[in-house]
Amino acid sequence: MERGRAARRADVDAFLASLGVDPGELAGLELPATVDVMRERVEFLHSLGLSNEDLSAYPLALGCSVRKNMVPVLDYLGKLGVRQDALPDLLRRYPQVLHASVVVDLAPVVKYLQGMDVRPIDVPRVLERYPELLGFKLEGTMSTSIAYLVGIGVARRQIGSVITRFPEVLGMRVGKIIKPFTEHLEGIGLQRLAIARIIEKKPYVLGFGLDDKVKPNIEALLEFGVRKEALASVVAQYPDILGIELRDKLVAQQSLFESSILVSSEDFGRVIERMPQAISLGRTAVLKHVNFLTACGFLLSQVSKMVVACPQLLALNMDIMKMSFEYFQNEMERNSEELVEFPAFFTYGLESTIRPRHEIVAKKGFTCSLAWLLNCSDEKFDERMKYDTIGIEEMEVENSFDMNTLSEPLDDEVEDEDLDEDSDYESTDDEFIE
């Protein structure tokens, strides 16, 4: 009998070897007594989309019974809503799930996610994106990472959204990843509440490596003319700047701005401070807008001044710019030099802001600058229209990105894709090209 059992085991080992699986890695496991049962397991795993290479990478999956282990787990995942076509990648990344107990291991994790306000419809997407969390213990990294985020100011009602869009946060150790990341951003001038708002809107920034991405990118910004005191504003406006391949972009973009718009290296830093997304503008888009402005009669030196003051000019919808300029020329009867002084004119909606305000001011007989006319909220403009004259106290002050807005709580609904190209100017109705 012993000889027969040994022979059958030898047959099973030979079958495993034919698949490229080292039988020695399964030593100590209770394997099927016959090749037929082992073949059933292999064929079942193949039916899920796994290859022999996958089985060789994690041979312990072959120690799972189809009926006792695999089917209950897969049935549970299917009932949650995990998609069939997502199973192969899920199993490759976390094959240990096949050994798991639905009641002891999986259900508590799902219950935890739902307790963190992850919607039932989003739970399967979270598991598909980050299946490793099915092996986490509730009292471990998951709980401490969430507690830290809440502690720095991430709104409790936003935690579900944060987890849904970046479930990897549940596997991040506070002391090694989240806290050093937070403290480094504090070191460049961001307040904790501002960091919390960034995480609420773009939680994936936590995945940017501190040493290999964040720190080198901060150094690159300084090298290319961004002032140290402006770093916090740059990151607040465009958090993705911390994780992109930045240095090469800066080299290419600085060269483009110097050659096509006559922007000096120092002024290039001001451009980035006012609109960090400028580093991602394509050459074609930049030249198209420069050509439009020169065709309007502006000298290249004037275009340079306008772009430095309002880099958003290079990202606005061209058709809307044309309509605004035609209205400025034909109806407003102003000197084009005013556009050089206040290029943000182009960022305001013609029908929603420019035309109605101009008509009101013209009717009252006021003579005012474009900035006085446009660079204020509707409420402030209505207040100004109660004046009989324009006083000296109404001198304009250049606006910049308001860091205080990042300390304000977000609305309950947080979009995955936020509008990055926000204007530096208050109450604009800007139209940007994609």
Side-chain angles (χ1 to χ4, degrees):
M1 183 178 296
E2 286 295 330
R3 184 174 301 173
R5 183 180 298 117
R8 289 193 296 273
R9 178 59 191 253
D11 290 342
V12 170
D13 287 350
F15 175 69
L16 292 174
S18 71
L19 301 174
V21 175
D22 181 4
E25 296 193 36
L26 298 174
L29 287 183
E30 184 178 346
L31 296 179
T34 67
V35 171
D36 289 342
V37 177
M38 179 59 79
R39 181 176 289 110
E40 178 192 22
R41 294 184 182 181
V42 171
E43 290 176 350
F44 185 79
L45 291 168
H46 282 171
S47 73
L48 298 176
L50 298 182
S51 65
N52 288 342
E53 289 75 14
D54 297 325
L55 300 182
S56 178
Y58 188 74
L60 295 180
L62 296 170
C64 297
S65 165
V66 171
R67 294 168 184 81
K68 293 181 180 178
N69 301 109
M70 301 185 199
V71 170
V73 166
L74 296 173
D75 281 350
Y76 179 70
L77 294 177
K79 289 176 182 177
L80 287 176
V82 173
R83 296 168 295 187
Q84 186 72 27
D85 60 359
L87 275 177
D89 187 58
L90 185 152
L91 294 174
R92 290 186 191 101
R93 292 180 56 186
Y94 189 64
Q96 295 91 333
V97 70
L98 295 173
H99 299 278
S101 162
V102 170
V103 174
V104 176
D105 302 314
L106 307 186
V109 172
V110 171
K111 185 177 180 181
Y112 174 84
L113 293 175
Q114 293 172 338
M116 290 290 105
D117 296 330
V118 176
R119 299 179 304 174
I121 193 174
D122 291 325
V123 168
R125 304 293 87 79
V126 169
L127 299 181
E128 290 171 5
R129 174 165 176 163
Y130 191 52
E132 292 87 347
L133 68 85
L134 288 168
F136 291 172
K137 300 301 180 184
L138 302 186
E139 67 277 5
T141 303
M142 288 200 296
S143 297
T144 55
S145 62
I146 295 303
Y148 183 84
L149 292 181
V150 173
I152 66 172
V154 174
R156 178 61 181 79
R157 69 179 184 277
Q158 297 293 345
I159 290 297
S161 175
V162 168
I163 293 173
T164 298
R165 289 175 294 146
F166 190 67
E168 292 87 346
V169 68
L170 295 174
M172 291 182 167
R173 295 187 179 277
V174 170
K176 290 186 177 181
I177 300 177
I178 304 178
K179 186 178 179 182
F181 177 87
T182 301
E183 291 178 344
H184 191 74
L185 294 190
E186 285 184 294
I188 66 170
L190 279 166
Q191 296 180 352
R192 281 203 168 192
L193 277 179
I195 298 170
R197 296 294 89 80
I198 290 173
I199 293 172
E200 289 173 358
K201 294 171 67 178
K202 297 177 179 288
Y204 56 82
V205 299
L206 292 168
F208 297 156
L210 182 59
D211 291 324
D212 60 346
K213 285 290 185 185
V214 177
K215 290 181 179 179
N217 283 4
I218 293 296
E219 292 171 1
L221 289 171
L222 292 171
E223 180 183 333
F224 280 82
V226 174
R227 294 167 297 181
K228 187 174 182 180
E229 60 269 25
L231 286 174
S233 173
V234 169
V235 172
Q237 293 178 74
Y238 190 35
D240 298 73
I241 205 168
L242 296 174
I244 62 178
E245 296 295 334
L246 183 58
R247 185 172 295 277
D248 289 345
K249 281 182 174 288
L250 287 171
V251 170
Q253 211 68 342
Q254 186 180 58
S255 175
L256 173 62
F257 275 58
E258 285 180 346
S259 62
S260 63
I261 323 177
L262 306 180
V263 172
S264 68
S265 57
E266 181 180 351
D267 283 340
F268 181 70
R270 303 297 83 73
V271 169
I272 301 305
E273 291 174 6
R274 290 172 177 142
M275 187 178 125
Q277 297 87 348
I279 62 171
S280 298
L281 291 174
R283 178 182 180 86
T284 300
V286 170
L287 296 180
K288 182 179 178 182
H289 287 77
V290 171
N291 291 339
F292 165 74
L293 292 171
T294 54
C296 289
F298 297 105
L299 301 174
L300 194 55
S301 59
Q302 292 177 311
V303 173
S304 176
K305 181 178 179 180
M306 294 167 73
V307 167
V308 172
C310 183
Q312 288 82 0
L313 288 179
L314 300 178
L316 293 171
N317 182 288
M318 188 71 71
D319 292 334
I320 292 178
M321 289 183 73
K322 290 178 180 177
M323 289 190 293
S324 296
F325 183 70
E326 288 173 0
Y327 183 79
F328 177 87
Q329 270 193 320
N330 300 330
E331 304 294 335
M332 298 183 75
E333 298 179 352
R334 289 171 176 263
N335 191 306
S336 61
E337 182 65 30
E338 290 195 61
L339 292 177
V340 178
E341 297 302 319
F342 190 70
F345 166 86
F346 289 102
T347 70
Y348 292 85
L350 176 58
E351 300 301 331
S352 62
T353 306
I354 298 173
R355 187 191 301 274
R357 290 192 183 186
H358 168 69
E359 291 177 351
I360 292 172
V361 167
K363 186 176 180 180
K364 292 182 72 72
F366 284 175
T367 299
C368 63
S369 69
L370 285 176
W372 189 92
L373 176 71
L374 299 173
N375 192 18
C376 64
S377 65
D378 289 339
E379 292 75 13
K380 180 64 175 177
F381 180 77
D382 291 341
E383 181 183 334
R384 287 175 172 178
M385 290 304 98
K386 297 176 183 177
Y387 303 163
D388 292 327
T389 59
I390 299 176
I392 190 68
E393 70 276 7
E394 293 294 341
M395 294 291 289
E396 292 78 34
V397 178
E398 180 183 4
N399 282 353
S400 60
F401 180 77
D402 186 1
M403 292 289 291
N404 291 326
T405 60
L406 280 177
S407 298
E408 299 170 358
L410 296 178
D411 295 333
D412 287 343
E413 293 295 326
V414 180
E415 300 295 333
D416 279 351
E417 297 297 331
D418 301 283
L419 180 63
D420 285 325
E421 300 90 346
D422 294 331
S423 172
D424 280 341
Y425 298 90
E426 184 180 2
S427 298
T428 58
D429 301 298
D430 28 7
E431 296 287 345
F432 294 97
I433 60 173
E434 295 294 330

